[in-house]
Structure formats: C-alpha cells, structure tokens
Amino acid sequence: MPHVRVIVLAAQRNGQVDPLAVRFGTSHKCVVPLHGEALIVHVLRTLSAHPDVETVMVSIETEMFQSIADIAANDVVTADKIHFCAAADNIADSVRNAAEGHQGPLIVTTADNALLKAASINAMVGALQSHDVAIAMATREAVLAAHPEGQRRFYRFKDGEFSNCNLYGLRGVSALKAAEFFRGGGQFAKKASRIVQAFGLINLLLLRLRLVSLPTGLDRIARRIGMTIAPVILRDGTQAIDVDNDRTYAIVEHLMAQQHAA
C-alpha cells in the first residue's frame, strides 16, 4: 500500500477563538499547553514517527503556518514530514485542499486528538486495504474503562454503544465525496436535519430506535454513497477522548501523566 497522508484539522471552528484558547491566552486551541508542550505537538509527534505516514498536512489559517512550523522544528520527531495548507471555511473543503496532489490513502484527524497512538494508525491503514472509508470507534465499555468521565455521549446501536475517535480514513481521492457529509461544519451527527440529509429518514429512525448494528448501519450508509465503509473498533478507550473543553482537558492531562509515569 502507498504511504499515507494524514490531514490534521487545526483551524478555529467558525472563525471563533476557542474557550480553551481564551483560558490559556493563545490564539488557537491547538497551541494551548498540555503536559508541558503545545497540544498539537502530541499529535504531530505520533504521526511523524509512524513509518506508514509519508506526509502530515496541517490544515490551519495561513498566519499560523510559521508558528506551528517553529513548534514542530523544536519538538517533533520528524518535522520534515510536516506541511501546511490553508483551511477553508468548512471541513469538507479543508480536507479536499489538504488532499490535493496525493495519490495514496488519506487519514483525517484533529489537532486536539492528543492521545492518538500508533496502533490506531495501524488499524486504519489495515482497514483501508480493503475498504474505501474507515471510521475509528471505541465501545462505551472501553472508553469508560479508560476514564469514567471520558465521554458522556455515545451513539447507540443494536450491538452496543460507541463513541467516534476523531479518526477517519479514505482509501484515496476517489473517496473524498465522503467528506461532503461534513460540509457546513463538524459534528453533523448532533443535528438531526444533517443526518436526514446524509443518511435518509429511514436510516435515521433505525439508528435512533437501535434496530440495526453498527456494521449494518454503516453498510446502509455505504450503499447510499456507493462506497465500502469499515468500522474500526479500537480496544483502547483513550482514543475516543480528545481535548474538547475544560473537563476533557483535565482528563487528557491526567491520562498523559499516567502514561508517562508507566
């Protein structure tokens, strides 16, 4: 399989300064300090050190290019893998822009996915060998075992409850139409109107009534968009815990301290 490009979404959402950035007096959440380093460093270090990752494309406002480059030069294992692309005003176009010129598999994650591990990248790369799209998920049990307050919201299916891990894979540029689901902003699954538009009313009802399993639900979506979709169930529940607010910031910092101590 060709080497992978990982797209790291790091821009401010809707052009607004994130509350965590305000708390720490920074311009962007991705550079708030976490366990002694800028938040994005934890993500970039994991990605740059992975042998299957050919390039890391940071999608962010142009005025932040040099700041992140300087941070990477000082703190990241393989900084020469890291490149930059101007973020668009929506996630779908940001992903398309960052994917331009790359012919191999794509993985999309976020700059606040600080607990990301190499094993999760391995799992995604493996899934993309046989599927057009891969979506990383963790079970409720795994997430709560990692931390009892790690997540408060789970997607309910017939075969259990799951949380997404902010980790998505595309087999190549031909699968980029999957990114259209995110047009107009992230977290589309929190808004019923966007689910109806993307998945259809029947699928929405099935998902809400817990009448289908996770694989069956994704298969329905796959048929709708004409691609194969693999649910990648990660055993490590920490992979579903990112730095989203003050509560999860404290949780991630605690988990990092535990990992470093171990």
Side-chain angles (χ1 to χ4, degrees), residues 88 154 158 171 175:
F154 296 88
K158 187 177 180 180
R171 195 172 190 178

Side-chain angles (χ1 to χ4, degrees), residues 168-204:
Y168 308 91
L170 304 168
R171 195 172 190 178
V173 293
S174 61
L176 274 172
K177 62 181 178 180
E180 291 298 317
F181 287 155
F182 299 99
R183 184 171 298 282
Q187 303 298 318
F188 72 94
K190 293 180 180 178
K191 298 188 178 182
S193 62
R194 292 183 182 174
I195 301 177
V196 171
Q197 182 180 4
F199 303 155
L201 180 59
I202 297 301
N203 289 332
L204 171 62

Side-chain angles (χ1 to χ4, degrees), residues 178-231:
E180 291 298 317
F181 287 155
F182 299 99
R183 184 171 298 282
Q187 303 298 318
F188 72 94
K190 293 180 180 178
K191 298 188 178 182
S193 62
R194 292 183 182 174
I195 301 177
V196 171
Q197 182 180 4
F199 303 155
L201 180 59
I202 297 301
N203 289 332
L204 171 62
L205 293 175
L206 289 171
L207 295 179
R208 283 192 166 178
L209 293 175
R210 303 181 67 176
L211 295 180
V212 298
S213 66
L214 174 59
T216 300
L218 289 180
D219 184 59
R220 286 176 176 270
I221 297 167
R223 290 200 302 269
R224 187 175 179 87
I225 63 177
M227 292 185 290
T228 57
I229 304 179

Side-chain angles (χ1 to χ4, degrees), residues 50 117-124 234:
H50 197 287
K117 293 182 179 177
S120 300
I121 302 298
N122 293 342
M124 297 296 283
L234 302 177

Side-chain angles (χ1 to χ4, degrees), residues 84-137:
F84 299 90
C85 180
D89 59 4
N90 63 81
I91 293 176
D93 286 335
S94 292
V95 170
R96 285 186 177 279
N97 293 345
E100 187 175 355
H102 185 69
Q103 300 302 315
L106 300 160
I107 291 176
V108 183
T109 190
T110 54
D112 57 14
N113 201 3
L115 296 172
L116 179 65
K117 293 182 179 177
S120 300
I121 302 298
N122 293 342
M124 297 296 283
V125 171
L128 291 175
Q129 292 182 10
S130 56
H131 291 81
D132 299 312
V133 178
I135 302 175
M137 309 282 282

Side-chain angles (χ1 to χ4, degrees), residues 25-164:
T26 62
S27 63
H28 285 58
K29 182 174 75 170
C30 70
V31 292
V32 303
L34 174 69
H35 205 67
E37 297 178 306
L39 173 56
I40 195 172
V41 164
H42 301 284
V43 180
L44 296 181
R45 180 180 292 116
T46 298
L47 295 175
S48 69
H50 197 287
D52 288 334
V53 175
E54 182 178 68
T55 56
V56 180
M57 188 66 71
V58 179
S59 176
I60 196 168
E61 294 85 352
T62 55
E63 62 268 21
M64 290 296 293
F65 286 5
Q66 191 59 53
S67 296
I68 304 300
D70 291 343
I71 290 171
N74 291 330
D75 298 313
V76 178
V77 173
T78 315
D80 59 355
K81 287 186 178 182
I82 298 168
H83 306 274
F84 299 90
C85 180
D89 59 4
N90 63 81
I91 293 176
D93 286 335
S94 292
V95 170
R96 285 186 177 279
N97 293 345
E100 187 175 355
H102 185 69
Q103 300 302 315
L106 300 160
I107 291 176
V108 183
T109 190
T110 54
D112 57 14
N113 201 3
L115 296 172
L116 179 65
K117 293 182 179 177
S120 300
I121 302 298
N122 293 342
M124 297 296 283
V125 171
L128 291 175
Q129 292 182 10
S130 56
H131 291 81
D132 299 312
V133 178
I135 302 175
M137 309 282 282
T139 65
R140 177 189 181 97
E141 294 77 12
V143 176
L144 298 185
H147 195 284
E149 289 293 320
Q151 272 287 357
R152 292 177 175 175
R153 184 177 183 278
F154 296 88
Y155 298 100
R156 296 184 176 186
F157 292 86
K158 187 177 180 180
D159 54 340
E161 298 183 33
F162 301 86
S163 177
N164 79 66

